[in-house]
Amino acid sequence: MRARATLPAAVAVVAAVAAGVAISFGQTYAPAGLAPLFNSALPVVTLAAAVSLAGRRWWQSAVLGAVAGPLAMVGYYSTASLRGFGVSLSMVAFWCAAGIVFGSLMGLAVWVLRGERASGLAGGAAAGYWPGIAAGEAAHGLTRIADTTPVPYWWVQLGLATVALAGLVALRLAGASARLIAVGTALAVGAGVYVVYGIA
């Protein structure tokens, strides 16, 4: 029984490493219009959300979310090194640390939103978390790197953030306060992500 319970988590861990490998090759071979998909944080945070679904308790979801990003970075940077690209240890450390922080919170958000409609501070914060990351990164793309990346990609991402927030507010939350908290969380997280990108 224990082996059966740990199998989904093991598969999720392997998938995280494989996703990192795919990111490395995607940066080389993806069409120009999809290039940001393989050079941004949102796909890794989304990976953390998917991996955290393998958790059967809240802390398992948080741990799986936390390790998804670093494991993806292991797959990515190992593959990049084997392919002859330079690897910056400072960037490895930065993105692994960011993966742990943002991934663990993503895992908790996924756990809160599972099952019945969530309410209160926890539900609102959980619902606004992913859309906030998506919106903040899109704002970075539109205002800081629009001259070197495809602008339509960032507009699509911003649209997805808006749709995701609206959908989560309507379908996964109960109560007006939770819905207001979700919007506020999305704005705050988006601003935070925008600032972090400015530092990085």
Side-chain angles (χ1 to χ4, degrees):
M1 292 294 293
R2 181 175 297 179
R4 184 178 299 177
T6 58
L7 180 59
V11 171
V13 165
V14 173
V17 177
V21 175
I23 290 172
S24 177
F25 285 101
Q27 288 182 347
T28 302
Y29 299 108
L34 293 177
L37 179 65
F38 300 95
N39 198 31
S40 57
L42 186 65
V44 179
V45 176
T46 306
L47 171 68
V51 168
S52 69
L53 289 170
R56 297 194 171 190
R57 293 177 175 84
W58 70 265
W59 61 267
Q60 292 175 338
S61 290
V63 169
L64 286 170
V67 302
L71 287 173
M73 293 303 97
V74 168
Y76 169 72
Y77 283 111
S78 297
T79 303
S81 179
L82 290 172
R83 296 176 65 206
F85 295 101
V87 174
S88 168
L89 292 180
S90 62
M91 291 305 295
V92 173
F94 177 86
W95 288 115
C96 283
I100 292 172
V101 173
F102 284 92
S104 60
L105 293 174
M106 188 71 255
L108 289 173
V110 167
W111 178 263
V112 170
L113 294 172
R114 292 169 78 168
E116 298 180 356
R117 288 185 179 227
S119 60
L121 177 61
Y129 185 67
W130 187 93
I133 293 175
E137 188 175 73
H140 165 75
L142 290 169
T143 62
R144 292 196 182 112
I145 54 174
D147 56 337
T148 58
T149 58
V151 171
Y153 178 93
W154 301 118
W155 282 115
V156 169
Q157 181 166 311
L158 186 59
L160 287 175
T162 304
V163 170
L165 179 61
L168 289 170
V169 164
L171 302 176
R172 302 306 309 150
L173 297 182
S177 61
R179 295 185 174 100
L180 288 174
I181 291 170
V183 174
T185 298
L187 293 172
V189 170
V193 168
Y194 187 82
V195 170
V196 169
Y197 264 108
I199 297 172

